[in-house]
Amino acid sequence: MVERTKKSLTTKGLIISALIFLLLIPTFFINNLVYERQSRQEEAFTEISSKWAQAQTIAGPIVTIPYFEFFRETNGTIQKTKKYIHILPEKLTITGKITPEKRYRGIYETVVYTSELDFTGNFQNLNQEISGIPTENMLLDQASISMGISDLRGIQDNVSIIWNNESHYFNSGVESDDIYKSGISTRLIFDEADSLYFKYNFSVKMNLRGSQYLNFIPVGKETNVILSSDWNSPSFDGAFLPDSREVQSSGFSAYWKILHLNRNFPQMWVNSAFSVDDSAFGVNLILPVDIYTKTDRSIKYAILFIALTFLIFFFLELINNKPIHPLQYILVGFALCIFYILLLSISEHIHFNLAYLISSIMTIGLISWYSAGILKDKKLAALVGGNLIILYGFIFTIIQLEDMALLVGSLGLFLILAVVMYFSRKIDWANM
């Protein structure tokens, strides 16, 4: 009889173990559902951005002067090719005010913004930058100044540049796409070579729309950027972090100072000899709560939920001699899996923390009610519910943490294992 009981216990343990791994299959499909909903959110973001304006990256202003380079072919004939020399400003200061706005497509939301940007600075002694190129080869009457703007649809008003007290309106397009493919430019006519020795001050005002990101490229020998906004959850991204920043509930302000020594391109080059894109930096107006990331993190603990809940039922069955059918284990497991679907669907409409509370109460209530029926004991059912409350509270704490999540999670798992070992230490497994 004892031998038969041992075999029955072993068989039951193997069945429960198999059910735990079997129930990971629906959690896999639920995880795919999370990614699908996240993809739909990204599609909604792309759709809104396509009608408003995409993320913006701004470079400039940069002076471009075309010139002819002459060379002799093998047959002795003289040929010429047109090239462009690009000159960057001596000093560039950008001051910006960002006004964010939430936009919705169905249940999905994203962040767009309008910005008021002021560019000031100067070009000093251009002739030093282009020494080595004969003046007579330069097409000074075709010189231009340009600014790179990644999505021109974001420009709200006409843009002009004050160039040594003279106003020049920008036109769409750039003289050369060596530096950026999309932008605006205007002609700067230098009357004679001597004018290249002058110092040129400039200022540009621009009202620009965009989505989520606003980035800049530090083209000045010294670049200073000052940004402010009433958005209170910014993320500072790119090649450079702010030298100083202040984030409060009322918004943020940030300041960057970047020297030409900090970047990987010079103050002047010919054609497309250098790329400036890798030096972009700026701010990302992130949404404060990403429900899909948090839901995905909670699903990673599904095996812990299922295994510990089944272990509780197995101990109750063992200690109180109340047999539980494998089908009843499966139903409890399905209830634990449905928690994640509830969490995902409810959190798309209300705050994630409240959605977690509602989903966990529904799941704990269902399993406790079912436990009272199969165990025929309300105290044991309350014990099951109490353990589930602790489990859901533990996982909720881990989800809220970021840097400390691994530490708290590992300590919590150690504590759970210690509790299981404590309550099972007096069980005479050999005679069960």
Side-chain angles (χ1 to χ4, degrees), residues 175-392:
E175 181 74 16
S176 167
D177 61 359
D178 294 336
I179 303 177
Y180 26 71
K181 307 300 180 183
S182 174
I184 56 178
S185 63
T186 186
R187 290 286 190 197
L188 289 178
I189 300 176
F190 297 101
D191 296 330
E192 53 188 12
D194 289 343
S195 61
L196 297 177
Y197 289 92
F198 299 159
K199 178 179 179 180
Y200 293 96
N201 297 314
F202 66 84
S203 64
V204 179
K205 291 184 179 294
M206 184 185 305
N207 295 325
L208 190 69
R209 298 191 306 189
S211 299
Q212 193 169 352
Y213 293 90
L214 178 60
N215 293 324
F216 302 93
I217 294 176
V219 296
K221 197 168 187 178
E222 179 184 314
T223 302
N224 296 277
V225 178
I226 305 167
L227 293 180
S228 62
S229 174
D230 57 4
W231 190 256
N232 58 13
S233 59
S235 174
F236 301 103
D237 294 332
F240 303 96
L241 292 177
D243 290 76
S244 62
R245 61 182 180 178
E246 184 176 0
V247 181
Q248 300 178 339
S249 59
S250 58
F252 77 86
S253 61
Y255 167 72
W256 292 261
K257 180 180 179 180
I258 301 162
L259 303 177
H260 68 294
L261 299 173
N262 305 136
R263 59 184 203 217
N264 198 30
F265 53 89
Q267 284 297 106
M268 180 277 294
W269 66 86
V270 175
N271 287 354
S272 57
F274 292 90
S275 174
V276 300
D277 294 338
D278 292 339
S279 297
F281 66 94
V283 63
N284 173 11
L285 306 178
I286 60 174
L287 290 169
V289 177
D290 187 348
I291 61 172
Y292 301 108
T293 300
K294 289 190 173 183
T295 304
D296 179 64
R297 288 175 63 187
S298 66
I299 293 175
K300 287 179 170 58
Y301 295 94
I303 189 171
L304 175 66
F305 264 96
I306 297 170
L308 289 178
T309 304
F310 279 16
L311 188 62
I312 292 170
F313 276 100
F314 182 66
F315 278 169
L316 292 177
E317 179 181 1
L318 195 65
I319 297 173
N320 296 280
N321 195 25
K322 294 181 180 293
I324 301 175
H325 194 274
L327 180 61
Q328 294 171 321
Y329 277 96
I330 292 177
L331 291 175
V332 172
F334 281 160
L336 294 171
C337 292
I338 290 175
F339 162 78
Y340 300 106
I341 299 178
L342 289 172
L343 177 61
L344 175 62
S345 58
I346 297 175
S347 63
E348 287 184 331
H349 299 275
I350 62 175
H351 193 275
F352 180 86
N353 293 351
L354 182 57
Y356 190 97
L357 176 64
I358 294 173
S359 303
S360 57
I361 289 175
M362 292 175 66
T363 305
I364 294 171
L366 177 62
I367 295 177
S368 299
W369 168 78
Y370 187 65
S371 301
I374 62 177
L375 297 174
K376 311 298 183 183
D377 191 324
K378 292 184 178 180
K379 290 184 178 180
L380 294 180
L383 179 63
V384 171
N387 280 277
L388 287 176
I389 291 173
I390 295 173
L391 274 177
Y392 279 105

